[in-house]
């Protein structure tokens, strides 16, 4: 297995889809690539030659996807936060990550087809929610609480009153 390039590296436990998931994630994000796929050896608890782990990189951040069996599942307690520049970026990531079995959640959250939670958040959301005018920030928050995928224009309209 490849040695991570940072002291702390997200380690994602999959049943048997680690390689597939790594390929899926790198297909979505620019500046992403699979770095290595380690395979189970003869005599291991899994079929020899099948993927044990896949190390991949998104924006210079390494992740390790591991095939460990059905013992553990992802929950919303841990998610990947994607900071987006504009609505088109929000729309693109939302569409890609909810495709083929993913599911929308509330307030910018979704689950991908593997059950991993993601937050697809435009930078404008943070700006609106931290507006020094408490009324504007409150109206933006109220609007966001009704959304699944974040709609920047709608948040801006709500904040304006």
């Amino acid at each position: 297995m490849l040695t991570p390039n940072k002291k702390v590296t997200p380690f994602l436990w999959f049943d048997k889809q680690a390689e597939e998931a790594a390929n899926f994630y790198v297909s979505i994000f620019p500046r992403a690539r699979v770095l290595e796929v380690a395979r189970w050896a003869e005599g291991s608890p899994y079929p020899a030659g099948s993927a044990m782990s896949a190390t991949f990189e998104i924006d210079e951040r390494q992740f390790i996807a591991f095939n460990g069996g059905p013992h553990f599942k992802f929950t919303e307690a841990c998610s990947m936060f994607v900071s987006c520049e504009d609505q088109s970026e929000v729309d693109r990531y939302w569409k890609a990550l909810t495709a083929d079995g993913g599911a929308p959640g509330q307030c910018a959250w979704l689950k991908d087809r593997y059950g991993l939670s993601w937050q697809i958040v435009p930078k404008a959301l943070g700006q609106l929610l931290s507006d020094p005018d408490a009324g504007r920030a409150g109206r933006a928050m109220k609007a966001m609480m009704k959304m699944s995928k974040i709609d920047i224009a709608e948040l801006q309209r709500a904040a304006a009153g």
Side-chain angles (χ1 to χ4, degrees), residues 139-155:
R139 289 187 298 273
M141 174 65 81
K142 188 175 179 182
M144 181 208 59
M145 295 300 290
K146 296 176 184 174
M147 294 180 183
S148 183
K149 179 178 73 172
I150 300 300
D151 180 328
I152 299 169
E154 181 58 32
L155 287 176

Side-chain angles (χ1 to χ4, degrees), residues 23-83:
N23 287 321
F24 174 65
Y25 300 140
V26 302
S27 76
I28 293 171
F29 294 93
R31 299 174 310 280
R33 62 194 174 126
V34 173
L35 301 172
E36 178 189 63
V37 177
R39 307 244 173 236
W40 289 105
E42 202 61 51
S44 71
Y46 297 95
S50 65
M52 176 177 64
S53 66
T55 302
F56 62 101
E57 183 178 83
I58 300 172
D59 258 347
E60 299 180 8
R61 163 68 65 193
Q62 285 186 11
F63 297 80
I64 300 171
F66 177 74
N67 282 331
H71 315 293
F72 302 108
K73 302 289 183 209
F74 295 120
T75 74
E76 292 82 356
C78 184
S79 63
M80 301 296 143
F81 187 100
V82 180
S83 179

Side-chain angles (χ1 to χ4, degrees), residues 124-138:
L125 178 62
Q127 294 162 350
L128 289 164
L129 296 181
S130 62
D131 192 301
D133 179 329
R136 284 179 53 83

